[in-house]
Amino acid sequence: MIATRVLGSLAIIVIGVLVISLAAALLVYPAEYVYRVLVWQDSDAFDWQKFPAHSLDAASPAYQFETAPNPRVKELFEQLSGAEDWESFLEE
């Protein structure tokens, strides 16, 4: 009889600590993060086995800038920077 009471009290204490810990985690971290930690556990090298695969599509071709900028742009930068020689200004 006493052993049953002790085990019951111990179970209530353990459940209480778990509930308080969960409540504290929800106060500190977003609920989505707490859920992920509880469901997926810590991350490791085998995460690729836990999550569903998603196919990746190839990216569109990269944008190609003109090889030589408009000469007016160079003049404007020289004027705004106050540098006499724009190329040496860039090298410095």
Side-chain angles (χ1 to χ4, degrees):
M1 182 92 162
I2 293 177
T4 306
R5 285 186 182 182
V6 170
L7 285 177
S9 297
L10 185 61
I12 290 172
I13 291 171
V14 169
I15 290 171
V17 168
L18 289 174
V19 168
I20 291 171
S21 299
L22 183 61
L26 287 170
L27 288 174
V28 175
Y29 300 105
E32 180 182 83
Y33 177 77
V34 174
Y35 171 78
R36 277 193 245 154
V37 169
L38 291 174
V39 172
W40 297 108
Q41 306 297 315
D42 290 331
S43 61
D44 57 19
F46 298 102
D47 279 353
W48 63 273
Q49 294 173 338
K50 294 179 187 176
F51 300 102
H54 296 284
S55 60
L56 297 175
D57 298 328
S60 59
Y63 178 79
Q64 298 295 321
F65 290 98
E66 296 176 13
T67 54
N70 185 335
R72 177 70 184 125
V73 173
K74 182 179 176 184
E75 292 171 14
L76 182 62
F77 278 118
E78 286 175 348
Q79 189 179 33
L80 291 174
S81 68
E84 293 178 19
D85 182 22
W86 179 245
E87 297 302 324
S88 64
F89 175 77
L90 290 177
E91 288 176 10
E92 290 177 12

